[in-house]
Amino acid sequence: MKLSKRNIFHLCLLTGIYLVFVLLLTRFEYAYGSELDWGGQHYAIPDYFRKLFYKTGDIFPSFAPNIGGGENIYNLSYYGLYSPIIMFSYLLPFVKMSTYIQAVSIIGIIVSVIIFYLWMRKKFTDNAAFALSFVFLFSAPLIFHSHRHIMFVNYMPFLLLGFMAVEDYFEGKRKYMVTLWAFLMIMTSYFFAVSGLAAMAVYGVYRWLKITEKPTVKGFCSVAWRFALRLVLAVLMACVLIMPTLFCMLNGRDKGNSSIDFTSFIPGVNLKFLLYSHYSMGLCLFTVMSIISALFSKQRCRRFLGIVMTLLATCPVIIYMLNGTLYVDPKVLIPFLPLGMLLFGHAYFDIIRGKMRLKPIFAITVAVAVLGLLYFKTSQKVEFYVIVDLIALTASLTVYHKVKKDYILNIGMSFCLLMSTVYINFSDDLVPLSQLDYDNSAEINAIADYIAEDEQIVRTSNCVDEKNTVNMIYNADYYTNTIYSSLHNKNYNRFYFSEIYNENQFRNTALTAQSHSVISDIYFSNRYLITDDANNAVSGYKKISECGNLSLYENKDVLPFGYATSDIISEADYKSLSYPYSVEALLNNIVVDEGESKEYSTGIDRVKAIKFDICEQIEYRDGKYIVDTSKTITQKVKLPQTLTKDEIMFMSFKVNNNIKGGKKDASVIVNSDKNTLTAPTWKYYNNNKSFEYVITCGQGYSTDYLTVKFLKGKYEITNIKCYVINKSDITGDVDPFYIDKENSGGDVISGSVDVASDGYFTISIPYTNGFDITVDGESVECEKVDTAFVGFKISEGKHNIKITFTAPFLHLGIVCSAAGAVMFILSVIFDIRRKSKSDR
């Protein structure tokens, strides 16, 4: 495709506009990445993929041993396990992943805009292509998600190339390219690939209608199944990703708090599905006019596309299906953005050529907008944008009708969209470069390298910027029990918050960030602790090293990574115990499905409950503390008795925010431990109605006081209970598992154990399907112990143990992908030969 000087100027101008926007957004002070999720997920997890590959050399891994206590790696595949964009970074070990992700995100937007411009140029004039590309660039989701949720838009170049390949397909040229671009789109972002494939199918029908003079059902079916096979082949080629990931989706996705009932599926004018929102197609009111114009078009292809867009905008059940029946979230419509822009272009071009019946179309547009505002839920922000958009569009159409200058129309159709996009991008909190450097500093990497030299596999508590370092793996021998992923081991997540009772400080329970509980540290074999705040160094940890302003602490009394013991308790007996007695039993026994429990005796003493100070913002009435504050209230609360360095206190109380004047997040911080109960209507409602805290005297000898902070909101606190236990009563004697680090890594952990008496073996790796265990070369049955972890029966004596994990359906997925690759190669050969014959 030959480019004129005008085309090159347009592309350079669009690129320049975007780069200036990025510069204004980051101002050399911020990374091109949002505080929300980007720092904790979008570069940390790909960085781990790369480190794991460098250690194992395995292109098809099954297990992620370093993160979340050990996870099926396909729980993390959403973040680019097989993305061609991420895998290219494997060739660039000298480039920091945080730098690489920023660079490819920016380049991805530039490439998307260039491809879109070239696509539009084939249909409209050069100036029209430029105007449409400008609108596409500033559509609400495109720039925004390039620095927040990059998987929402990083597939866009492949999708746009797929649309261009669809055109070639119906012109009989390089038909195999449809499969290739669809395949790369799936591998880049499988969740959005569902909508992407649907959009390619819709565009396929559009193109067929455009080139077919007399369409018939028989003719359509004849063409449709051949075209569909090309997309199915792309899915088959991607089975190495799809099949094991689908298993994880069916077993590791939280349902959330989305209310789905019959009323959620009632059709209507849902403006939020199309307009302004960065979690939708995010276009402007001119889009509505474009769809209405298409519905009245004489061209069958435009009418068809108008009907599709109308259904997407008015039928929530379609959105629900595209979301995999999880919720009604219009983010799945982002792949339809280019098709929305195609209708946008047709309407724009009709106006310029004077072929649109403007008055009736605009009148219907206004009526639809008013109907959407009056009868369907929208935010005040959307209402404001619709009103501004109506004014701007009315003014521009009126002026354009008189002066016939294209730039007047361009301003009117893009003004409100540009305003909303600028606002939402500059409202997003980006990660400061100083914080990014701090989380990846030479000092913390040096400490991680020191930990990696330990002869055994041990885990580390990273108390530095816990939210953004939750998925940070500094080297292949650095292990942690924290994880933040939309897919995760549900048994482990439940255990983390409801069995070991870690504090739940965030609004999303998928974020299992670093706990400050010494009980959790002991259970998960967190021998080391990194912090820049001595208050996070709980009792039992001793400082062994400093590097800059970071300190490394060690606790030699944590449980081993794996161990054997004859002390067991049946799950029924364990479940009969209340907090904190259940935690004590958990640390002194292995919980098994069935077995003869040893006689239970507790070392826990219940003590008097603490009392909060009554003040203007906190009152005590009918056995309840009622907190009603517009700002954080801090109190120094006296303990019922002195807490020494050899003791641990458990404290719990009930919280209720579903009260009049409440219904917002309720948070209470005790020392440095924060618990949060989310608003009852929040889509990721955490149901954290009982706040539990594990309290020690820190690095001091003893303490008599707690610091309690009540964060703003209105909520009730009831049923305060306090307990004390001596550290010597926490864990019993166990037979440690000595891991052979040389022969362990990736999907395999091997080592030896000397068992004193018949009992059970457990390792603090979350249980899931796919584990194969051998003891002295003999296969043994893998069981779920401690309600969430891998374990098995073991006899007295010395044993060699090998634990191997194979992701369910991975091998079948590899076979299917290999078959698909062979079929794709054959299709390429067939298409080339067929084209050669037709050219003769």
Side-chain angles (χ1 to χ4, degrees):
M1 183 183 294
K2 188 176 180 180
L3 297 179
S4 65
K5 291 182 179 180
R6 180 189 292 269
N7 298 145
I8 295 172
F9 173 74
H10 283 163
L11 292 175
C12 289
L13 183 57
L14 288 167
T15 301
I17 290 171
Y18 170 60
L19 291 177
V20 169
F21 189 87
V22 171
L23 185 62
L24 293 173
L25 196 62
T26 57
R27 305 185 293 281
F28 298 106
E29 295 180 18
Y30 299 94
Y32 193 67
S34 172
E35 285 272 17
L36 179 66
D37 293 350
W38 185 89
Q41 292 180 315
H42 298 318
Y43 81 85
I45 295 177
D47 185 53
Y48 174 51
F49 291 154
R50 185 167 68 173
K51 286 186 171 76
L52 188 64
F53 173 75
Y54 289 161
K55 179 177 181 178
T56 65
D58 191 353
I59 199 70
F60 298 120
S62 285
F63 198 54
N66 307 75
I67 194 169
E71 289 272 335
N72 183 330
I73 201 167
Y74 291 90
N75 280 331
L76 307 174
S77 64
Y78 175 67
Y79 303 96
L81 179 61
Y82 294 131
S83 167
I85 297 170
I86 299 301
M87 296 188 78
F88 184 77
S89 73
Y90 295 5
L91 303 175
L92 308 171
F94 49 86
V95 179
K96 289 183 178 180
M97 186 59 74
S98 57
T99 302
Y100 179 81
I101 293 297
Q102 292 177 77
V104 296
S105 295
I106 293 171
I107 292 170
I109 296 301
I110 293 172
V111 171
S112 295
V113 172
I114 290 173
I115 297 171
F116 182 82
Y117 175 87
L118 298 177
W119 188 43
M120 291 294 101
R121 178 174 169 262
K122 292 170 64 177
K123 306 175 185 308
F124 308 110
T125 64
D126 290 349
N127 288 340
F130 174 79
L132 295 171
S133 298
F134 181 86
V135 173
F136 174 71
L137 173 62
F138 284 96
S139 60
L142 199 65
I143 295 177
F144 183 80
H145 286 301
S146 68
H147 58 76
R148 177 174 278 197
H149 296 118
I150 61 176
M151 284 74 64
F152 284 27
V153 295
N154 64 350
Y155 56 86
M156 193 61 73
F158 301 124
L159 176 62
L160 290 167
L161 288 169
F163 287 142
M164 296 178 78
V166 168
E167 295 178 358
D168 288 344
Y169 177 91
F170 285 99
E171 292 173 6
K173 299 183 296 185
R174 299 186 303 172
K175 293 186 175 184
Y176 55 86
M177 295 303 291
V178 170
T179 301
L180 178 62
W181 298 127
F183 166 72
L184 292 174
M185 177 181 65
I186 296 169
M187 301 302 279
T188 301
S189 184
Y190 69 79
F191 184 87
F192 286 90
V194 176
S195 295
L197 291 171
M200 288 181 69
V202 167
Y203 190 59
V205 177
Y206 170 91
R207 290 299 300 180
W208 179 76
L209 289 171
K210 187 174 182 65
I211 65 175
T212 305
E213 292 184 8
K214 296 181 180 181
T216 63
V217 174
K218 183 179 179 180
F220 172 77
C221 292
S222 176
V223 171
W225 76 266
R226 291 184 176 87
F227 179 75
L229 279 180
R230 302 284 177 159
L231 299 181
V232 171
L233 181 56
V235 174
L236 185 64
M237 291 168 61
C239 275
V240 66
L241 170 66
I242 294 172
M243 296 185 73
T245 299
L246 184 60
F247 171 84
C248 291
M249 291 183 70
L250 295 175
N251 291 274
R253 181 84 190 196
D254 293 325
K255 293 182 178 179
N257 191 41
S258 298
S259 178
I260 301 295
D261 54 31
F262 175 75
T263 59
S264 301
F265 300 127
I266 297 175
V269 184
N270 292 287
L271 296 179
K272 64 181 181 180
F273 286 4
L274 293 178
L275 310 182
Y276 316 117
S277 171
H278 43 291
Y279 288 95
S280 72
M281 284 174 58
L283 289 169
C284 55
L285 204 57
F286 194 88
T287 309
V288 177
M289 192 166 77
S290 303
I291 294 172
I292 294 169
S293 174
L295 293 175
F296 291 97
S297 174
K298 295 180 180 179
Q299 296 178 307
R300 287 187 298 267
C301 58
R302 282 182 66 182
R303 286 203 305 273
F304 166 75
L305 195 52
I307 291 170
V308 170
M309 287 298 177
T310 301
L311 291 173
L312 291 176
T314 59
C315 297
V317 67
I318 298 175
I319 312 301
Y320 181 67
M321 297 303 294
L322 290 174
N323 274 290
T325 69
L326 290 172
Y327 32 58
V328 180
D329 192 328
K331 66 185 180 185
V332 293
L333 294 184
I334 295 175
F336 288 91
L337 169 61
L339 297 185
M341 286 302 307
L342 179 59
L343 287 184
F344 200 105
H346 281 304
Y348 174 77
F349 208 47
D350 281 352
I351 292 174
I352 290 175
R353 294 183 300 170
K355 291 188 175 183
M356 180 184 286
R357 292 178 296 169
L358 198 55
K359 289 183 179 180
I361 296 295
F362 185 68
I364 297 173
T365 301
V366 173
V368 169
V370 172
L371 185 66
L373 291 177
L374 292 178
Y375 293 100
F376 292 91
K377 291 182 180 179
T378 55
S379 65
Q380 290 183 341
K381 191 180 297 182
V382 170
E383 292 175 359
F384 170 76
Y385 286 144
V386 170
I387 293 171
V388 171
D389 211 349
L390 271 174
I391 294 171
L393 192 57
T394 302
S396 65
L397 289 173
T398 302
V399 174
Y400 176 80
H401 182 69
K402 294 180 179 180
V403 300
K404 301 297 181 182
K405 297 292 184 181
D406 292 356
Y407 72 87
I408 299 295
L409 188 59
N410 296 347
I411 293 172
M413 70 183 188
S414 62
F415 173 78
C416 190
L417 186 62
L418 181 62
M419 180 178 66
S420 64
T421 298
V422 169
Y423 172 80
I424 193 62
N425 277 277
F426 280 87
S427 297
D428 193 29
D429 294 324
L430 302 182
V431 177
L433 289 174
S434 58
Q435 186 65 52
L436 186 63
D437 292 339
Y438 188 66
D439 293 342
N440 298 271
S441 66
E443 289 78 11
I444 200 167
N445 277 282
I447 289 176
D449 290 341
Y450 173 86
I451 294 170
E453 295 175 1
D454 197 295
E455 294 181 355
Q456 288 296 297
I457 291 179
V458 293
R459 294 195 179 101
T460 301
S461 295
N462 187 354
C463 297
V464 178
D465 190 18
E466 292 99 329
K467 184 178 180 181
N468 285 324
T469 60
V470 60
N471 291 317
M472 202 76 75
I473 303 299
Y474 295 100
N475 59 61
D477 290 310
Y478 177 92
Y479 294 81
T480 179
N481 65 310
T482 59
I483 186 171
Y484 178 28
S485 171
S486 53
L487 289 182
H488 48 261
N489 188 305
K490 289 196 293 187
N491 285 327
Y492 176 69
N493 185 267
R494 174 192 50 76
F495 179 91
Y496 199 82
F497 292 115
S498 302
E499 303 293 342
I500 205 74
Y501 293 98
N502 283 310
E503 67 272 19
N504 192 345
Q505 59 177 309
F506 297 107
R507 304 192 77 216
N508 189 344
T509 53
L511 208 172
T512 49
Q514 184 57 58
S515 168
H516 296 159
S517 166
V518 68
I519 295 294
S520 178
D521 287 334
I522 290 171
Y523 184 88
F524 287 114
S525 190
N526 290 346
R527 180 167 179 167
Y528 295 103
L529 185 150
I530 305 171
T531 185
D532 53 3
D533 182 356
N535 291 323
N536 291 329
V538 294
S539 180
Y541 282 87
K542 296 180 180 179
K543 185 187 290 189
I544 60 171
S545 180
E546 287 186 353
C547 192
N549 66 332
L550 300 179
S551 298
L552 178 64
Y553 293 78
E554 182 181 18
N555 183 355
K556 296 182 179 180
D557 296 325
V558 300
L559 284 169
F561 198 84
Y563 60 87
T565 182
S566 59
D567 294 332
I568 63 173
I569 183 172
S570 70
E571 188 165 339
D573 288 340
Y574 166 75
K575 291 293 186 183
S576 69
L577 300 172
S578 60
Y579 177 84
Y581 302 101
S582 60
V583 176
E584 179 191 24
L586 187 65
L587 290 168
N588 282 282
N589 304 271
I590 295 179
V591 180
V592 299
D593 186 30
E594 294 181 356
E596 185 176 347
S597 304
K598 74 172 186 178
E599 184 178 348
Y600 175 74
S601 61
T602 182
I604 294 175
D605 294 322
R606 183 169 179 177
V607 297
K608 291 182 179 179
I610 63 169
K611 294 183 179 180
F612 302 131
D613 295 334
I614 306 304
C615 60
E616 183 180 352
Q617 295 86 2
I618 303 175
E619 61 175 302
Y620 186 78
R621 186 173 67 244
D622 300 328
K624 302 175 183 177
Y625 287 99
I626 302 173
V627 180
D628 188 358
T629 177
S630 59
K631 62 181 181 179
T632 299
I633 302 297
T634 303
Q635 293 187 355
K636 189 175 183 180
V637 179
K638 186 172 178 58
L639 290 171
Q641 64 183 52
T642 299
L643 188 67
T644 70
K645 63 181 180 64
D646 296 320
E647 294 175 322
I648 295 172
M649 175 177 283
F650 299 94
M651 183 173 74
S652 67
F653 49 79
K654 303 293 184 182
V655 176
N656 178 25
N657 61 351
N658 194 9
I659 58 176
K660 185 177 180 181
K663 302 186 184 303
K664 296 183 179 181
D665 288 5
S667 300
V668 179
I669 302 173
V670 176
N671 291 341
S672 59
D673 299 350
K674 178 183 177 183
N675 263 300
T676 297
L677 173 62
T678 53
T681 56
W682 174 234
K683 65 178 178 178
Y684 300 122
Y685 180 63
N686 65 7
N687 202 35
N688 186 32
K689 296 178 182 178
S690 180
F691 287 9
E692 289 87 17
Y693 301 88
V694 176
I695 300 161
T696 71
C697 64
Q699 295 296 294
Y701 181 80
S702 64
T703 185
D704 292 297
Y705 291 92
L706 296 174
T707 299
V708 181
K709 295 180 180 180
F710 304 91
L711 274 62
K712 68 177 182 179
K714 184 175 182 180
Y715 44 93
E716 299 172 344
I717 296 175
T718 58
N719 202 24
I720 303 174
K721 296 179 181 178
C722 295
Y723 309 82
V724 173
I725 189 173
N726 195 285
K727 288 181 182 177
S728 60
D729 294 323
I730 290 179
T731 58
D733 293 330
V734 297
D735 305 318
F737 177 48
Y738 293 99
I739 297 174
D740 181 0
K741 288 184 72 173
E742 291 296 321
N743 293 307
S744 298
D747 303 339
V748 178
I749 295 176
S750 61
S752 60
V753 62
D754 189 354
V755 183
S757 58
D758 295 354
Y760 263 79
F761 177 93
T762 183
I763 188 167
S764 52
I765 293 175
Y767 175 88
T768 186
N769 292 341
F771 283 102
D772 178 70
I773 301 172
T774 60
V775 178
D776 301 325
E778 298 291 330
S779 182
V780 299
E781 181 184 359
C782 180
E783 299 181 31
K784 182 166 67 175
V785 302
D786 284 359
T787 76
F789 296 93
V790 170
F792 52 88
K793 293 177 182 178
I794 197 166
S795 60
E796 178 183 345
K798 294 182 179 180
H799 300 286
N800 293 317
I801 297 172
K802 184 177 181 180
I803 302 172
T804 306
F805 181 78
T806 303
F809 299 104
L810 173 60
H811 289 161
L812 180 59
I814 292 173
V815 171
C816 290
S817 288
V822 171
M823 293 170 65
F824 174 70
I825 293 171
L826 292 175
S827 73
V828 172
I829 296 171
F830 176 79
D831 287 344
I832 292 175
R833 287 184 175 179
R834 187 176 182 181
K835 184 69 168 59
S836 298
K837 288 181 181 180
S838 64
D839 290 341
R840 289 176 185 174

